[in-house]
Amino acid sequence: MEYLVIIIFLLITLFILKIIFGYSKKQIKQLAENKELDKIAEKYPDNIEICKEYLKMLNNENVNIEEDNQAVNSLYITISNKILIANVRKSYTRIQTIAHECLHSIQDRKILMFNFIYSNLYILYFIVISILATLNSLPYKMTFLSILIVGGFIYYFVRSYLENDAMIKARFLAKEYMEKKNISTKEEINAMVNAFDRLNDIGIKSTNYLLFMSIILEILAFCIIAFFR
């Protein structure tokens, strides 16, 4: 019965958070599509060159850079100290997206490594206890659920800190870069920065919502398994 109460509570929580944070994938996509700003961004060098220039500005030029046109999301890979740039060549958002990943590369190494190791262990823990619960081979399910909840909060706290830090600072780094390159007019730079601000306003809230939602869904999945087993 306690699992059913938790399941209902989690579903209500997800519904409320979606309304509060106003998550809308469609809205984010619309904000990221702007042909006028795309034309402005076309004036700038290719993605790898922009990435190198950002890293030089950040005094961190020992990072490996790779561009993968098949990838959907750009990311910084901590363990290999590599920035993977996705297929963003035709979008104005690339100016800020690349800045975001470069900023990840200069974050506290201890926190980055902890996030990498801990997140993998957390996912492994969830998979193992879910399988054991499904096989009805997991005693004291509520204890393991408690550990999953606490572990989820730790995961969220660390990951959200890293993402928020990079998202907030990326806008300023991108603006500094554009001003330094002196390719665009002041009006064009302001238009780009204003677009970044609008995108970040919903993007930061959405990122935090999606991170928290992923944890809630894992807890929800385990509770459903435990309830029926």
Side-chain angles (χ1 to χ4, degrees), residues 156-199:
Y156 173 79
F157 178 78
V158 176
R159 182 69 184 278
S160 65
Y161 162 74
L162 293 172
E163 291 301 328
N164 290 338
D165 179 66
M167 285 188 288
I168 292 170
K169 292 179 180 177
R171 177 257 198 207
F172 297 97
L173 181 60
K175 182 180 180 182
E176 182 182 350
Y177 169 75
M178 290 187 289
E179 291 174 341
K180 182 179 179 181
K181 291 296 290 184
N182 199 28
I183 292 175
S184 304
T185 64
K186 184 177 180 180
E187 289 72 21
E188 288 175 332
I189 293 175
N190 286 336
M192 290 278 279
V193 173
N194 288 335
F196 293 153
D197 287 339
R198 290 192 296 271
L199 190 60

Side-chain angles (χ1 to χ4, degrees), residues 47-55 65 83 85 98 102:
N47 293 335
I48 291 181
E49 184 60 33
I50 290 178
C51 193
K52 289 179 179 179
E53 292 178 348
Y54 275 138
L55 292 171
I65 307 170
I83 292 175
I85 305 174
I98 298 172
C102 289

Side-chain angles (χ1 to χ4, degrees), residues 14-30:
L14 282 176
F15 177 74
I16 294 174
L17 288 177
K18 181 172 174 47
I19 294 175
I20 293 175
F21 282 83
Y23 173 69
S24 172
K25 186 175 181 180
K26 182 179 180 181
Q27 187 177 0
I28 294 175
K29 184 178 179 180
Q30 289 175 341

Side-chain angles (χ1 to χ4, degrees), residues 53-66:
E53 292 178 348
Y54 275 138
L55 292 171
K56 186 175 182 179
M57 291 171 65
L58 296 170
N59 297 315
N60 186 35
E61 299 182 67
N62 63 336
V63 181
N64 299 313
I65 307 170
E66 181 181 328

Side-chain angles (χ1 to χ4, degrees), residues 8 59 68 74 91 104 133 140 161 166 184 205 216:
I8 294 173
N59 297 315
D68 183 359
S74 299
S91 174
H104 274 313
Y140 311 112
Y161 162 74
S184 304
K205 290 186 291 186
I216 295 296

